[in-house]
Amino acid sequence: MSEKVYVFDTTLRDGEQSPGCSMNLEEKLKIARQLERLNVDIIEAGFPIASDGDFEAVQAISAQVRKPTIAALARTNREDIERAWEAIKGAHKARIHTFIATSDIHLEYKLRKSRSEVLQQVIETVRIARDLCEEVEFSSEDATRSDIDYLAEVFEAAIEKGATIINIPDTVGYAIPQEYGPFVKELISKISNREKAIFSCHCHNDLGLAVANSLAGIENGCRQVECTVNGIGERAGNASLEEIVMALRTKKALLPYHTDIVTEEIYRSSRLLSNLTGAFVQANKAIVGKNAFAHEAGIHQDGVLKYALTYEIMTPQSVGIVSSTLVMGKHSGRHALCKKFEELGYELSKEELERAYFFFTKLADQKKEIYDEDLVTIVQDGMKIIPDTYKVKYVHATGGNQELSCAVVKLERSGEVFVESAYGDGPVDATYKAVDRITGMRGRLLDYTINSVTRGKDALGEVFVHVDFGGRNYTGKAASVDIIDASARAYLNAVNKAMYEKEREQERESESASAVEL
Ligand code: KIV
Ligand code: ZN
């Protein structure tokens, strides 16, 4: 029997803190629920001391996602650790993950502390964490550039004080597998109380080697691997969950380790994350890229048709890419649509099906063929939790390379209709200026992406925006066969999120003011 490797997913912490990947509370909850379906062992839900939003998200995930362990990050100080515990104490299984840097370069320039001061801090704070929470993980930041004997001493002390998971991060993505593997092995051998802990690898991808290093870590004694969906994370990202899991699954003979990941949920997890953040994976990304299972060359196509394994080392079905049997079109009814969604892995409530059916019939009137991707877009777009404070009633914009663009926009709010027009540098800019005039929210567009969801001139255009409102970054998305309509609705999606958050903040403030009065 192969040995189990625990999957520690840090999409919501290391992944979420990378540019363009921030999510609000509802979006984080959606990801956490999907990670539960994927069956990860541990979800690192956030860094509670970092902000009230992070704290709330970790607390909500702890309350609502019951199967995996919920971990919260904390620096090695009492305040961080107590805040982390406060956020996860309602979890079914909770873990405090505390860390401090151990490399001389970090000690000298960042922490301005000596090795013995850091060691002392670890001894004191791991104990504090352990007194609060039964499960404590300790990480030494920049482990791979730390002195190995000093690191072994720090780890030994952390285990002595109650940490049962010891993480060895390659924080700056500087290691190569031939280095990281032997480093892990030698390090573990130097820790006298090593049998009391599980060792973990956490690799960044600056040299494109995060997955290779993680596999080397596993081969040399790590039984926990830290990773993110789509490999999102600081700079070049973290090790990609799907690549590690599928490498272990595909190369069982050479790598006799297994995970409990439900691999059929991989593709859906990847799509959900991209759809929520607008951070899409490149077409040739291993496992989840658009072309990962596409065979273009004639010789390859011929081979695959004769016998799939000639060119396929794993099946698309094994990662949840289903080639569906039901063809959807204008005449398909609710029953067929419901069956189709089941095939695609979505169980819709009656209300969700009704809403999806409404969008489906609208789309079927506009385009001939409805692809699986169109339906996934409908269901993910249509199940927004943020209330649509403003809705687009009408949008018309002119463009071209000879004149200034102009847009007329009509929005509805609680039954009242508002109309504005504006000039701009192009039809999208003009539309956004008109929207700003109506809502009174001045947005700064940070990023704008448009993708064609499927093939053909009548394909759905999916627009993602990142907009700054008053120093805070919001994402918005929408799909339509008309790209100006999609652009307006994506922007409005971000506006609605910003307004919703503002209103919730005001509510919280007035609640705490009335609590003080009492
Ligand atoms: O990369 C890193 O060192 C980290 C630690 C906080 C575990 O993310
Ligand atoms: Zn990291």
Side-chain angles (χ1 to χ4, degrees):
M1 178 65 183
S2 65
E3 277 187 68
K4 171 163 171 162
V5 173
Y6 290 85
V7 175
F8 176 112
D9 180 278
T10 184
T11 306
L12 292 172
R13 200 278 297 168
D14 224 350
E16 204 261 346
Q17 74 194 39
S18 63
C21 292
S22 57
M23 287 173 258
N24 64 27
L25 176 70
E26 282 77 13
E27 291 165 340
K28 287 182 187 174
L29 270 166
K30 274 191 182 181
I31 294 287
R33 289 198 192 100
Q34 180 57 31
L35 290 173
E36 186 177 37
R37 282 192 283 272
L38 188 62
N39 210 25
V40 305
D41 298 287
I42 304 106
I43 294 177
E44 185 164 49
F47 190 7
I49 197 88
S51 69
D52 288 348
D54 247 44
F55 178 88
E56 266 185 42
V58 177
Q59 200 173 41
I61 292 169
S62 300
Q64 294 181 38
V65 180
R66 308 300 284 171
K67 199 166 167 220
T69 295
I70 308 299
L73 188 69
R75 287 165 297 187
T76 45
N77 66 60
R78 182 181 284 278
E79 206 194 342
D80 273 39
I81 290 170
E82 285 177 349
R83 190 80 176 138
W85 173 243
E86 203 48 41
I88 52 168
K89 68 180 185 198
H92 180 51
K93 289 178 274 176
R95 177 185 295 184
I96 293 179
H97 176 195
T98 187
F99 76 100
I100 191 166
T102 48
S103 64
D104 287 338
I105 184 168
H106 278 235
L107 262 57
E108 187 178 344
Y109 296 100
K110 189 180 84 176
L111 299 178
R112 299 190 197 286
K113 286 189 176 182
S114 67
R115 286 185 181 185
S116 62
E117 282 173 317
V118 166
L119 177 62
Q120 199 46 41
Q121 191 168 333
V122 171
I123 292 172
E124 282 162 19
T125 52
V126 168
R127 188 71 257 170
I128 296 174
R130 187 61 187 74
D131 285 345
L132 292 169
C133 183
E134 253 180 51
E135 197 165 86
V136 174
E137 170 168 342
F138 172 73
S139 283
S140 73
E141 199 187 4
D142 208 17
T144 47
R145 294 192 300 171
S146 305
D147 176 80
I148 195 162
D149 291 313
Y150 173 61
L151 191 55
E153 197 184 344
V154 172
F155 281 158
E156 210 167 275
I159 297 171
E160 174 63 32
K161 292 294 161 196
T164 50
I165 301 98
I166 293 293
N167 186 31
I168 312 166
D170 182 28
T171 304
V172 291
Y174 183 59
I176 61 172
Q178 295 84 337
E179 209 178 0
Y180 188 69
F183 179 78
V184 165
K185 192 173 186 170
E186 192 186 339
L187 176 63
I188 296 177
S189 75
K190 284 176 185 278
I191 302 169
S192 63
N193 50 4
R194 59 185 170 273
E195 69 294 336
K196 291 191 187 149
I198 291 178
F199 291 88
S200 166
C201 45
H202 175 115
C203 298
H204 280 266
N205 204 30
D206 299 65
L207 292 172
L209 292 169
V211 170
N213 284 335
S214 303
L215 295 177
I218 292 168
E219 276 196 286
N220 286 281
C222 292
R223 292 295 173 267
Q224 173 178 286
V225 63
E226 305 200 354
C227 46
T228 60
V229 173
N230 293 345
I232 64 166
E234 283 284 355
R235 307 179 308 277
N238 286 60
S240 133
L241 179 149
E242 58 279 3
E243 292 176 24
I244 294 171
V245 168
M246 290 315 284
L248 292 179
R249 187 178 148 152
T250 310
K251 303 293 288 185
K252 281 195 186 106
L254 271 177
L255 299 166
Y257 313 99
H258 69 272
T259 68
D260 284 343
I261 293 296
V262 177
T263 61
E264 291 75 13
E265 291 291 334
I266 283 179
Y267 187 63
R268 201 168 307 133
S269 309
S270 163
R271 280 296 308 251
L272 180 66
L273 182 65
S274 296
N275 278 317
L276 291 177
T277 59
F280 286 94
V281 297
Q282 80 270 19
N284 63 334
K285 160 87 173 67
I287 319 293
V288 290
K290 204 168 170 180
N291 294 346
F293 292 93
H295 302 276
E296 178 77 26
I299 296 177
H300 290 207
Q301 288 178 343
D302 179 55
V304 167
L305 287 174
K306 286 179 177 145
Y307 184 51
L309 291 188
T310 50
Y311 285 99
E312 262 178 18
I313 59 164
M314 56 199 151
T315 63
Q317 290 80 5
S318 67
V319 298
I321 301 174
V322 280
S323 45
S324 176
T325 46
L326 279 168
V327 179
M328 301 303 292
K330 208 176 164 125
H331 304 291
S332 311
R334 281 180 184 75
H335 185 213
L337 189 67
C338 181
K339 267 244 136 340
K340 180 76 176 185
F341 276 124
E342 267 172 35
E343 272 188 8
L344 293 171
Y346 291 93
E347 274 174 39
L348 302 192
S349 67
K350 244 179 137 190
E351 267 173 24
E352 285 165 346
L353 180 65
E354 244 352 276
R355 205 176 150 102
Y357 185 69
F358 170 75
F359 284 114
F360 165 73
T361 50
K362 265 179 71 173
L363 187 63
D365 275 341
Q366 292 174 58
K367 69 192 293 253
K368 275 198 298 250
E369 287 169 281
I370 309 274
Y371 297 98
D372 290 356
E373 293 89 335
D374 292 322
L375 296 173
V376 170
T377 306
I378 285 180
V379 84
Q380 293 189 342
D381 200 31
M383 296 201 298
K384 278 182 217 131
I385 313 170
I386 303 292
D388 287 338
T389 310
Y390 282 103
K391 287 194 193 104
V392 177
K393 291 289 290 175
Y394 170 94
V395 56
H396 178 79
T398 59
N401 61 357
Q402 300 294 326
E403 55 200 270
L404 207 56
S405 293
C406 172
V408 179
V409 175
K410 256 191 217 174
L411 301 182
E412 185 195 304
R413 181 178 182 170
S414 319
E416 206 178 333
V417 175
F418 303 85
V419 189
E420 272 295 352
S421 62
Y423 287 104
D425 299 326
V428 173
D429 184 46
T431 302
Y432 290 178
K433 282 188 172 131
V435 170
D436 282 355
R437 283 188 183 163
I438 297 175
T439 62
M441 306 267 293
R442 294 233 153 264
R444 196 163 59 87
L445 190 64
L446 303 173
D447 199 12
Y448 174 96
T449 321
I450 182 156
N451 293 317
S452 149
V453 176
T454 48
R455 289 141 279 178
K457 285 185 185 151
D458 61 355
L460 272 185
E462 195 171 34
V463 173
F464 283 86
V465 290
H466 287 260
V467 193
D468 178 305
F469 290 106
R472 284 204 205 157
N473 196 340
Y474 296 88
T475 56
K477 92 173 182 86
S480 168
V481 283
D482 182 279
I483 58 170
I484 296 299
D485 180 40
S487 302
R489 291 197 296 110
Y491 187 74
L492 215 52
N493 183 217
V495 170
N496 286 334
K497 283 182 186 171
M499 295 188 82
Y500 178 66
E501 202 165 292
K502 211 165 141 187
E503 277 160 20
R504 281 194 353 153
E505 256 165 33
Q506 281 163 354
E507 272 167 29
R508 270 201 302 267
E509 271 164 27
S510 63
E511 267 168 29
S512 55
S514 43
V516 170
E517 275 166 26
L518 283 172

